[in-house]
Amino acid sequence: MSDTPQPQAGEPGTVAVTVDRSGKREPTWVPPDQSGPMPRLRVKDLSHTYVDKTGRGTEAVRDISFDVVDKPGTGEVIVFLGPSGCGKSTILKAVAGLIVPTKGDVFLDGKLIEEPGRDRGMVFQQYTSFGWLTVRENVEYGLKLHGTPRAERRKLSQKYLEEVGLAEFGDHFPKDLSGGMKQRVAIARTLINKPRVVLMDEPFGALDPQTRWGMQSLLLDVSRQEDNTILFVTHDVSEAVYLADSVYVLSARPARILHRVNVPFFANRDASLKSTREFREIEEKLLDLLYSS
Ligand SMILES: Nc1ncnc2c1ncn2[C@@H]1O[C@H](COP(=O)(O)OP(=O)(O)O)[C@@H](O)[C@H]1O
Ligand SMILES: [Mg+2]
């Protein structure tokens, strides 16, 4: 690795980062040239200010630009890491089409995002499901809305319930499940629609650490199997290292991208990885970047 930030081939704006504890650090992120052909997802000059009833503005996101290219055959997880309240959810909401940004555009497969759509799936921290539907009916809900025949729905819901380890729980109601199991329902319900990108907003934030680690591993297994592109938001550094192929480090509010750090390929990602030196080094690097800006 070089001491001076060097863009790496094929990854616009990616830099090699060295740990330096000498205090304040300048951003190393260089926005990509976005004049070329559209990648899978393009976020361009995104800024957002919330305005309340009295007209008071809260600037949440400022000038965020990044591209996500399609990497067929590799489930890819891109993590946005930033302090609480910095604007992480706002970025995801803009991609989801849940807010109209004050400035800038988001394109999915070249198409401007103006509203929520089936090509994006979202998993929130709080499990949002229909309490009066069984687990299986919740998982099948999107397919039903779109007229998928019953037999086909059943086949697919069984596949996804198995993938998330809930094959035995199809006929239960969500209220009878633990927090981790509920989030597995949310993941199955999202993936069954085969979204182009999966947006995950601190989905494991409310779970106890043990369950959380299990869910992180499950997410990695499922995403590899499904060949998904996942944008994952967290303020948890350890979670970021565990899940990410690359991490965008965000500033305090208004969120700006400060750095992009590639996480090396770990041959085995299970809970024991978290106590290895390699893992801890990246964790430290990210902590340093997060708190020295
Ligand atoms: N609907 C809203 N109206 C006004 N302010 C909001 C709204 N949603 C979020 N904010 C403010 O915008 C800032 C960023 O919020 P958010 O994107 O939720 O941050 P994060 O997800 O990183 O915690 C916060 O200061 C928050 O209070
Ligand atoms: Mg949030």
Side-chain angles (χ1 to χ4, degrees):
M1 275 209 270
S2 152
D3 276 6
T4 27
Q6 297 281 334
Q8 289 166 9
E11 301 283 8
T14 302
V15 291
V17 180
T18 45
V19 178
D20 164 9
R21 301 211 156 276
S22 61
K24 205 167 156 56
R25 188 188 306 281
E26 291 305 312
T28 53
W29 166 248
V30 184
D33 171 9
Q34 295 186 307
S35 59
M38 286 280 182
R40 176 172 285 193
L41 179 73
R42 169 161 290 170
V43 172
K44 196 166 192 279
D45 302 326
L46 180 73
S47 297
H48 192 69
T49 299
Y50 294 99
V51 180
D52 69 15
K53 281 183 210 136
T54 67
R56 206 178 55 117
T58 304
E59 188 183 8
V61 171
R62 185 187 292 175
D63 286 333
I64 287 201
S65 297
F66 64 90
D67 282 349
V68 177
V69 293
D70 193 7
K71 292 183 180 163
T74 52
E76 197 189 11
V77 183
I78 297 151
V79 169
F80 290 81
L81 174 69
S84 289
C86 79
K88 300 183 295 298
S89 294
T90 305
I91 298 171
L92 281 200
K93 281 181 195 159
V95 178
L98 294 171
I99 57 167
V100 179
T102 314
K103 185 175 140 265
D105 295 308
V106 182
F107 301 92
L108 181 59
D109 294 317
K111 188 170 155 279
L112 181 68
I113 288 174
E114 291 175 298
E115 57 186 6
R118 237 188 145 200
D119 48 5
R120 284 144 291 148
M122 190 141 182
V123 181
F124 300 93
Q125 177 170 334
Q126 290 307 330
Y127 176 64
T128 48
S129 69
F130 304 116
W132 62 92
L133 299 180
T134 63
V135 164
R136 184 189 306 283
E137 286 164 345
N138 268 287
V139 171
E140 290 181 3
Y141 188 79
L143 297 181
K144 192 172 180 187
L145 269 188
H146 287 86
T148 308
R150 189 186 156 85
E152 176 73 5
R153 287 204 311 263
R154 187 44 77 99
K155 204 173 104 204
L156 285 169
S157 63
Q158 193 55 30
K159 170 177 182 281
Y160 283 91
L161 285 170
E162 276 167 23
E163 272 190 26
V164 300
L166 289 180
E168 314 289 301
F169 292 87
D171 298 325
H172 287 57
F173 284 89
K175 69 172 170 49
D176 300 326
L177 305 183
S178 69
M181 290 161 90
K182 285 181 186 168
Q183 285 306 65
R184 288 194 251 162
V185 178
I187 292 171
R189 194 186 53 187
T190 300
L191 296 184
I192 200 170
N193 296 320
K194 288 275 173 198
R196 298 288 289 163
V197 260
V198 182
L199 309 170
M200 305 190 89
D201 192 354
E202 311 213 34
F204 311 140
L207 305 177
D208 62 87
Q210 206 67 31
T211 307
R212 190 169 179 152
W213 293 358
M215 289 298 295
Q216 291 164 355
S217 302
L218 177 118
L219 177 67
L220 288 174
D221 290 347
V222 174
S223 83
R224 301 264 140 80
Q225 213 163 319
E226 291 286 311
D227 192 8
N228 284 127
T229 300
I230 297 176
L231 300 196
F232 190 105
V233 153
T234 186
H235 64 264
D236 183 307
V237 173
S238 161
E239 181 165 78
V241 182
Y242 195 62
L243 293 179
D245 296 294
S246 47
V247 179
Y248 286 104
V249 179
L250 304 173
S251 68
R253 191 178 67 78
R256 285 151 293 134
I257 299 178
L258 297 176
H259 310 279
R260 174 176 157 156
V261 177
N262 283 341
V263 177
F265 175 74
F266 296 119
N268 116 46
R269 296 207 196 209
D270 60 31
S272 69
L273 175 67
K274 296 191 182 187
S275 51
T276 64
R277 206 187 64 186
E278 201 186 6
F279 189 91
R280 294 233 159 124
E281 278 174 4
I282 306 163
E283 230 176 11
E284 270 205 40
K285 186 189 284 186
L286 286 175
L287 274 169
D288 183 54
L289 291 174
L290 202 52
Y291 295 108
S292 64
S293 51

